[in-house]
Amino acid sequence: MSQTKILLDETDIPDHWYNVVADMPNPPQPPLGPDGQPIGPEALAAIFPMALIEQEVSAERWIPIPEPVREAYRLWRPSPLFRAHRLEQALGTPARIYYKYEGVSPAGSHKPNTAVAQAYYNREAGIRRLATETGAGQWGSSLALAGQMFGLEVRVYMVKVSYQQKPFRRSMMHTWGAEVLASPSDRTQAGRQILAEHPESPGSLGIAISEAVEEAASREDTNYALGSVLNHVLLHQTVIGLEAKKQFEKIDDYPDVIFAPCGGGSNFGGVAFPFFADKAAGRELRLVAVEPSSCPTLTRGHYAYDFGDSIGLTPLLKMYTLGHDFMPPGIHAGGLRYHGDSALVSQLYHEGLVEAVAVPQIATFEAGVQFARCEGIIPAPESNHAIRACIDEALRCKESGEAKTLFFNLSGHGHFDMAAYDKYFNGELEDFEYPEEAIEDALRHLPKVG
Ligand SMILES: *Cc1c(COP(=O)(O)O)cnc(C)c1O
């Protein structure tokens, strides 16, 4: 039997990030300011350090990873690539299934890959505090960890419903020294405005982003950090795909199809973009972003300029969107409930170079439980989306007899999401198709451009 864990040495941690912009057939659509004109770097300088702004607009193929960031990566990288022998057997598929496990980071997901880089560049720029938002707490806990490692104070605006339902990620943030506020809060104008209109608001990522951006823009010593969506975040996550390519080389295999859960697009971009370089060079390869059918941003959203937050404080990004005032249904994959998506992923999807599929919630938990019973690891509810899509493909291979190589990103473990698993076992989870009227309605709320 061939290897189960494909491991790399610490010296194999990439020393450059890969920038997909260099291999895209068309340059990315620029972010726009309130006047509808492309914004310059200075428009972002109030909330981001210049090094990250340069990465945001860079077209260089390779960007060096600073040594202190690689040193932080050594705590959990390179992450293992697994061959899912036991899952293959259970499915009776001729397909070979592999997964890269990002749950080995201290925070339990891929998010620290960018958090430590962002903390490093902010510290180098003389910043003392970071403000951010978090949904289910994966990003907040990752930034809390990174802030602790690089000596920055961190304040996290946590979506209120998660603040109440997910107390243990809050405890993780406290353990790593961060301050956590339930959003909407009364600390910002944005929060107070929402509370005045909807005192019982459960919060949303878009609202929490408004609060964190407002704080960062109004304090000299404070910057903002975003856990997904932006180009520099996807850039940092490419360590996942770069390592995976080395791991596949070691065993002389190569994926036919790659799956990753897609919320803001960072772990999908992170795993898929380094392989996209080969696709751009002519290699046949499918890259599939998997999203919930309750928040079907790529598969059913509009490709249009929209705000990144609820109030309209951020620049406009050309992306697939359900509308910046989207109120997500209370599904359990909190990391997949953002109204928009990465501009880079959106453009590649629009041009037919990457694919997307939406899957219903209950089927994702079925897949996650089947995976846990074969492979041991209990996946994050977000990761279950990629597992669902990968198992479906493996079952199609069983029908057709094709021995494809399938690869998915296991973006995190589910140890802090066991309440969601309990609901699944108790039959309390529901499937929710995002209604067509709401999608059409969102069109009328999109900002006017040009
Ligand atoms: C945040 C998160 C996601 C989704 O976010 P992306 O930016 O799309 O990567 C997926 N899986 C896990 C475990 C997460 O924490």
Side-chain angles (χ1 to χ4, degrees), residues 2 12 14 23 73 84 106 120 133 171 185 236 346 369 375 386 400 446:
S2 60
D12 291 316
D23 287 316
Y73 280 167
Y120 165 79
E133 74 291 332
S171 318
S185 79
H236 301 155
S346 293
V369 170
E375 297 293 315
S400 66
L446 289 175

Side-chain angles (χ1 to χ4, degrees), residues 141-202:
S141 55
S142 301
L143 196 70
L145 165 78
Q148 185 58 232
M149 291 176 80
F150 287 93
L152 297 172
E153 269 178 48
V154 174
R155 177 182 278 176
V156 183
Y157 291 90
M158 185 171 188
V159 175
K160 191 173 278 170
V161 57
S162 303
Y163 184 92
Q164 289 158 350
Q165 288 176 359
K166 312 235 157 133
F168 296 129
R169 285 226 179 75
R170 208 201 311 161
S171 318
M172 289 169 78
M173 292 184 255
H174 288 152
T175 303
W176 285 315
E179 182 188 2
V180 189
L181 302 172
S183 166
S185 79
D186 59 6
R187 302 290 183 95
T188 63
Q189 285 227 336
R192 287 190 293 271
Q193 185 183 327
I194 300 274
L195 286 174
E197 288 165 26
H198 309 281
E200 300 303 318
S201 168

Side-chain angles (χ1 to χ4, degrees), residues 254-297:
Y254 192 93
D256 295 300
V257 197
I258 300 179
F259 302 92
C262 193
S266 79
N267 87 93
F268 172 71
V271 72
F273 285 175
F275 289 91
F276 179 82
D278 297 343
K279 189 176 164 90
R283 181 151 200 157
E284 203 153 321
L285 166 67
R286 293 176 52 208
L287 306 168
V288 185
V290 191
E291 59 186 17
S293 42
S294 57
C295 183
T297 316

Side-chain angles (χ1 to χ4, degrees), residues 109-111 138 228 261-268 335-336 380 382-383 411-412:
S109 76
H110 64 290
K111 290 191 172 75
Q138 289 104 325
S228 189
C262 193
S266 79
N267 87 93
F268 172 71
L336 304 182
E382 292 85 357
S383 310
S411 50

Side-chain angles (χ1 to χ4, degrees), residues 276-336:
F276 179 82
D278 297 343
K279 189 176 164 90
R283 181 151 200 157
E284 203 153 321
L285 166 67
R286 293 176 52 208
L287 306 168
V288 185
V290 191
E291 59 186 17
S293 42
S294 57
C295 183
T297 316
L298 289 171
T299 50
R300 293 174 65 206
H302 304 286
Y303 188 48
Y305 272 102
D306 198 5
F307 295 110
D309 67 327
S310 300
I311 305 272
L313 296 177
T314 70
L316 297 169
L317 296 174
K318 182 83 180 270
M319 61 182 177
Y320 280 88
T321 177
L322 295 169
H324 59 277
D325 46 7
F326 168 71
M327 266 296 171
I331 57 160
H332 285 277
L336 304 182

